[in-house]
Amino acid sequence: MSNWQRKFGIPVVAMIVFALFWEALVWINDWPNYVMASPSDLGPAFWQYRWMFLEHGWDTLWRTVVGLLLAIVFGVLIGMIMGFSRIMREALYPLLVGFNAIPKATVVPVVALLFVGQHDMNTILIAFMISFFPIAVSISIGLSTLEPEYRDILASLGASKLTIFRKIALPKTLPEFFGALKVAVTLAFIGTNLMEIVEPHGRGLGHLFDSGKINADYPLMFAVLIALALLGIALYYVVVALEKMFAGWAEREHH
Amino acid sequence: MSDEAHIRISGVKHAYKTEAGPLPVLDGLELEMQPGAFSAVVGPSGCGKSTLTKLLAGLLIPDEGEVILHGQPVTSPRSTVGMAFQNPVLLEWRNILDNVLLPLEIVPNKLNQKQREDRGQELLAMVGLEGFEDKKPSELSGGMRQRASLCRALVHRPEVLILDEPFGALDAFTREDLWQIMHELRHREAFTCLLITHDLRESIFLADEVVVLSGRPARTQHVMDVPFGADRSLEILYTPEATDMLHELRHQIQVAQGRVPANQEQLT
């Protein structure tokens, strides 16, 4: 079996098997589509609302990506501060853990009250808040566990802290960073949808899901779930591609 | 003390701050090296040998006493120093040549890219790594990685080479190969070398003098001259002269460990 077949063929076959199993489950139990829609109901739902899917899907996508980018900038910054200073690490860690422990569903109304009507900003904010934690933790651990010899080979030549960070600490932390980014991508999606569903403002796939619920259009609800999954897969593999590009050296050859 | 000494460490005391109060690691360290000299420092585990390398590299400033390089007190790192450790710490994302060239990206120099690569390749050839320039560190054996690490320590032509147990994690045969390579490097490159080691055979095979440190806090307990010339083969380790030296060093280490009093006659 060629590499290409293994990389793309197997996942596609798995998805088809999954859809068939789902279809069979609904068919055998004779569930009406208000209990559980079947994959064959989804096609018509997608087609009927195709423009809405494009429009709302785009809203969800761009707000997730912007939230994620903010999470990367902020997470890397906090991670660097905690990674380089033990005092800051001890000061910030409990704060971060506590903040991360608060269910974001409870933060949504607070944010919505704080910035009334700023839907884009609120949604981006929640996507950001839910996804920066793993990034900050991975960077801080990556930096604080850097073996001192790595620092010493450059420090003994008079290299500045910034140079050491750029030449050694940053590239060495990239594999951990991408590991965290894969988690953060999915989390950012959850954040965006949380805002769209809990504080409905007529935008995004969350809104489409909500309107399916209100109109008892169950195939639409399921179609939204599938659309979210597809967007999630797409973004995830963008991260995987970036990882290959920038941290491919960390991957050992398999034989 | 002669003023021409390249390196002079005198009356150095240093303590680390710990939660249980200051932990003195060095107390009255004396060391003097002429340009081009090769000194090995041996001593019990945890006696402060690595602290000595940090002081010489300017990564630490001693609480008391002086570390003089070229008649100037060492107060900060300087680009005329090269270091290698037990862990070769090669950068996994760079190939071997780019790893070796790393110091040239830090140290100010007038070399263009071509000249840098020539210099790197010259060193890699000296240590037998010709043809491995494009390999990643993960594709090399432990001994080969350590050779690359030596090349990196020397690529910017440092005046002082500091080796902190660079052969400690290698198997016995690889270690002997690297000893020979060290001799060849010494013939071709001009450097003053301070070697920290636990291996007494290594110390007399490589160095012109062996300095024994006492247990913590360390002071200079004993200095032994190594009378072997510049051309050495491993055979010298099997001469009666070498055996006597090793015996004396072992005795000194036991004194440093507090296992035998200093004045006790050696049992033979």
Side-chain angles (χ1 to χ4, degrees):
Chain A
M1 196 185 277
S2 78
N3 203 27
W4 190 89
Q5 279 173 316
R6 208 170 53 225
K7 276 212 168 109
F8 295 94
I10 292 178
V12 168
V13 169
M15 279 182 203
I16 292 170
V17 169
F18 174 77
L20 287 175
F21 182 75
W22 178 3
E23 185 78 45
L25 195 71
V26 174
W27 189 75
I28 288 164
N29 288 305
D30 203 16
W31 280 326
N33 71 10
Y34 55 83
V35 173
M36 176 116 137
S38 64
S40 55
D41 297 330
L42 300 185
F46 272 123
W47 183 248
Q48 186 184 349
Y49 300 108
R50 59 194 180 279
W51 300 116
M52 293 190 109
F53 267 104
L54 279 182
E55 187 193 330
H56 292 291
W58 168 245
D59 268 335
T60 296
L61 183 65
W62 79 260
R63 295 192 291 195
T64 302
V65 170
V66 173
L68 190 65
L69 290 177
L70 273 181
I72 292 172
V73 172
F74 186 75
V76 169
L77 214 64
I78 292 278
M80 279 173 68
I81 291 169
M82 292 201 302
F84 284 126
S85 156
R86 218 174 108 191
I87 293 176
M88 290 310 281
R89 183 157 66 248
E90 278 159 7
L92 290 178
Y93 221 95
L95 278 175
L96 279 188
V97 172
F99 185 79
N100 191 49
I102 299 173
K104 293 300 168 291
T106 61
V107 181
V108 167
V110 176
V111 168
L113 280 177
L114 260 176
F115 309 107
V116 180
Q118 305 288 324
H119 298 308
D120 285 337
M121 187 172 97
N122 289 344
T123 312
I124 290 166
L125 210 57
I126 292 292
F128 152 72
M129 281 199 265
I130 205 169
S131 61
F132 84 91
F133 183 75
I135 297 173
V137 170
S138 75
I139 293 280
S140 99
I141 289 177
L143 293 181
S144 61
T145 55
L146 186 74
E147 292 96 324
E149 289 99 331
Y150 278 102
R151 204 185 50 228
D152 286 353
I153 47 168
L154 288 195
S156 65
L157 297 170
S160 67
K161 273 202 153 174
L162 190 70
T163 305
I164 296 172
F165 176 74
R166 198 163 48 84
K167 298 248 181 217
I168 294 186
L170 179 71
K172 202 161 169 46
T173 308
L174 278 182
E176 279 101 337
F177 168 75
F178 278 109
L181 196 55
K182 286 179 193 166
V183 177
V185 161
T186 337
L187 287 177
F189 257 112
I190 294 173
T192 311
N193 279 279
L194 208 56
M195 195 68 191
E196 290 167 354
I197 292 170
V198 178
E199 287 291 328
H201 50 267
R203 306 264 303 276
L205 289 175
H207 163 70
L208 209 54
F209 180 84
D210 231 26
S211 58
K213 199 168 95 184
I214 290 163
N215 298 316
D217 190 342
Y218 300 102
L220 175 59
M221 288 167 73
F222 276 90
V224 169
L225 297 188
I226 298 300
L228 283 171
L230 290 176
L231 277 184
I233 291 173
L235 261 194
Y236 183 89
Y237 280 101
V238 167
V239 174
V240 170
L242 289 173
E243 181 184 30
K244 271 226 157 64
M245 219 184 291
F246 292 106
W249 52 267
E251 203 173 299
R252 293 282 154 91
E253 306 251 328
H254 300 289
H255 293 290
Chain B
M1 285 196 183
S2 81
D3 278 317
E4 310 90 70
H6 193 33
I7 297 171
R8 198 170 73 219
I9 295 175
S10 53
V12 162
K13 295 187 178 190
H14 195 75
Y16 286 114
K17 292 181 195 77
T18 67
E19 282 174 18
L23 174 74
V25 282
L26 297 176
D27 186 13
L29 194 71
E30 309 285 336
L31 185 79
E32 199 177 310
M33 291 174 75
Q34 302 302 323
F38 196 124
S39 293
V41 175
V42 297
S45 291
C47 79
K49 298 190 292 290
S50 291
T51 308
L52 170 61
T53 66
K54 288 211 165 74
L55 291 172
L56 193 54
L59 294 169
L60 269 183
I61 305 301
D63 295 341
E64 275 181 52
E66 282 184 317
V67 178
I68 309 270
L69 199 67
H70 288 315
Q72 297 274 320
V74 176
T75 52
S76 63
R78 44 182 70 203
S79 55
T80 54
V81 166
M83 287 186 103
F85 310 91
Q86 179 168 343
N87 180 350
V89 289
L90 298 177
L91 311 183
E92 295 279 332
W93 55 94
R94 289 177 172 228
N95 66 25
I96 293 301
L97 184 61
D98 287 340
N99 261 291
V100 170
L101 297 183
L102 179 69
L104 294 178
E105 296 166 25
I106 311 296
V107 174
N109 64 80
K110 293 192 178 74
L111 300 181
N112 62 33
Q113 188 56 27
K114 173 82 174 67
Q115 289 166 317
R116 289 180 184 196
E117 284 173 16
D118 287 347
R119 168 70 179 151
Q121 264 155 352
E122 173 196 19
L123 278 168
L124 285 171
M126 263 188 241
V127 302
L129 283 181
E130 219 162 11
F132 288 90
E133 289 85 355
D134 295 329
K135 296 271 187 235
K136 288 280 159 67
S138 58
E139 299 174 86
L140 266 57
S141 69
M144 291 162 110
R145 270 182 252 176
Q146 200 51 270
R147 289 176 206 211
S149 163
L150 283 175
C151 292
R152 181 181 59 194
L154 287 171
V155 73
H156 54 299
R157 300 185 194 277
E159 289 168 359
V160 179
L161 178 64
I162 302 171
L163 302 177
D164 193 350
E165 293 192 49
F167 316 122
L170 303 173
D171 69 80
F173 302 122
T174 308
R175 196 179 305 172
E176 289 182 353
D177 280 346
L178 278 154
W179 291 350
Q180 310 268 28
I181 283 171
M182 264 324 291
H183 270 303
E184 277 159 40
L185 288 172
R186 215 186 148 191
H187 279 305
R188 302 217 198 168
E189 302 275 316
F191 53 78
T192 310
C193 183
L194 184 79
L195 168 74
I196 307 291
T197 181
H198 272 117
D199 185 333
L200 300 181
R201 291 169 76 239
E202 177 173 303
S203 72
I204 65 166
F205 182 65
L206 289 178
D208 304 326
E209 71 169 8
V210 181
V211 178
V212 183
L213 298 188
S214 68
R216 200 169 60 210
R219 56 181 174 77
T220 305
Q221 176 183 304
H222 184 79
V223 179
M224 174 189 273
D225 275 322
V226 179
F228 305 133
D231 287 312
R232 301 181 194 183
S233 79
L234 283 166
E235 292 303 315
I236 62 153
L237 289 176
Y238 302 95
T239 58
E241 214 178 352
T243 309
D244 287 345
M245 290 164 69
L246 288 172
H247 211 162
E248 170 62 15
L249 284 174
R250 185 166 179 279
H251 170 69
Q252 289 293 341
I253 295 287
Q254 288 191 311
V255 171
Q257 289 170 325
R259 295 190 184 172
V260 293
N263 54 1
Q264 187 184 327
E265 282 298 306
Q266 271 184 264
L267 300 170
T268 46

